């Protein structure tokens, strides 16, 4: 299999239509991107609960770990996040009588998907994967720690107004571009990427360094929303 940059090179050298047919629309001219001092990698929620054996395991979630470890070597700035819920958090189906995981309810701040209990503060499930190897990571930001508000985004809680402080941190450190990877594509990765755009960052989501939950069409919707917001969809092989 050719990777996409080889295919683009192949175009120039006349490789032909078969190789071209392997490209998704809009991907043709994805050029290599080189992280600079103004770039940060955001590693989202690579925590035991979202990995095999976890209470909210994301299918193939463990596959992102080696990809992220490798990619992280290209970044001077790395921030990691941890979903960090109180016991009895409002996003847990277990606290809403008659509700099951993956059903939705209407809360004061909007629609909330209900989840199995996960990422409870201080538990092993909330720990970052022991297989992450990113010793240079500069900040670990925790989110979702207010009992009555969820926070998929690393920037702003689900009430749409409470800040985690991440945007101010990144701006204070002169970060202009963020690259988002981790779990899950359609929730914490997507909401983080959308808020990064709202906050004015040039934003990339590294598709093969993410895996999705995909409940009720959430994965396709996330990619559509991100495309509309100007989030750039790349592969880890696009990072030089
Ligand atoms: C996440 C559902 C609930 C995520 C966190 O990390 O994407 N998803 N909490
Ligand atoms: Zn959560």
């Amino acid at each position: 299999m050719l990777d996409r940059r080889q295919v683009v090179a192949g175009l120039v050298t006349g490789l032909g239509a078969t190789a071209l047919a392997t490209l998704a629309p809009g991907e043709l001219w994805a050029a290599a991107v080189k992280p600079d001092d103004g770039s940060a990698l955001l590693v989202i929620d690579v925590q035991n609960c979202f990995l095999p054996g976890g209470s909210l395991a994301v299918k193939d979630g463990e596959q992102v770990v080696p990809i992220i470890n490798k990619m992280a070597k290209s970044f001077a700035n790395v921030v990691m996040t941890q979903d960090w819920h109180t016991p009895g958090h409002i996003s847990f189906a277990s606290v809403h009588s008659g509700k099951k995981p993956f059903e939705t309810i209407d809360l004061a701040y909007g629609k909330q998907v209900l989840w199995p209990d996960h990422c409870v503060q201080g538990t092993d499930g909330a720990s970052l994967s022991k297989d992450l190897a990113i010793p240079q990571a500069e900040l670990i930001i925790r989110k979702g720690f207010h009992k009555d508000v969820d926070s998929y985004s690393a920037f702003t809680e689900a009430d749409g107004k409470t800040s985690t402080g991440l945007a101010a941190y990144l701006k204070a450190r002169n970060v202009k571009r963020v690259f988002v990877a981790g779990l899950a594509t359609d929730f914490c990765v997507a909401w983080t990427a959308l808020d990064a755009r709202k906050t004015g960052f040039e934003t990339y989501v590294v598709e093969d360094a993410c895996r999705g939950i995909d409940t009720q069409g959430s994965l396709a919707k996330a990619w559509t929303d991100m495309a509309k917001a100007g989030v750039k969809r790349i592969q880890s092989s696009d990072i030089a």
Side-chain angles (χ1 to χ4, degrees), residues 44-45 47 50 56 83 85 91 115 118-119 143 150-152 183-189 213:
I44 304 300
D45 297 4
Q47 293 167 269
F50 300 120
L56 181 42
D83 212 34
H85 298 311
S91 72
W115 304 107
H118 66 280
C119 297
K143 60 184 179 62
D150 206 359
S151 190
Y152 297 141
L183 305 170
T185 320
D186 38 350
F187 290 93
C188 293
V189 168
I213 294 174

Side-chain angles (χ1 to χ4, degrees), residues 18-94:
T18 333
L20 274 179
T22 67
L23 290 165
E27 285 190 318
L28 192 53
W29 300 110
V33 249
K34 196 170 169 51
D36 58 11
D37 287 348
S39 303
L41 175 63
L42 309 183
V43 178
I44 304 300
D45 297 4
V46 183
Q47 293 167 269
N48 295 333
C49 274
F50 300 120
L51 293 167
S55 59
L56 181 42
V58 179
K59 189 174 182 297
D60 298 330
E62 75 284 2
Q63 294 177 6
V64 305
V65 175
I67 299 172
I68 290 172
N69 286 343
K70 184 172 176 213
M71 196 169 62
K73 296 185 197 298
S74 304
F75 286 85
N77 303 303
V78 180
V79 172
M80 310 211 257
T81 68
Q82 267 181 310
D83 212 34
W84 199 249
H85 298 311
T86 60
H89 190 257
I90 197 162
S91 72
F92 296 171
S94 60

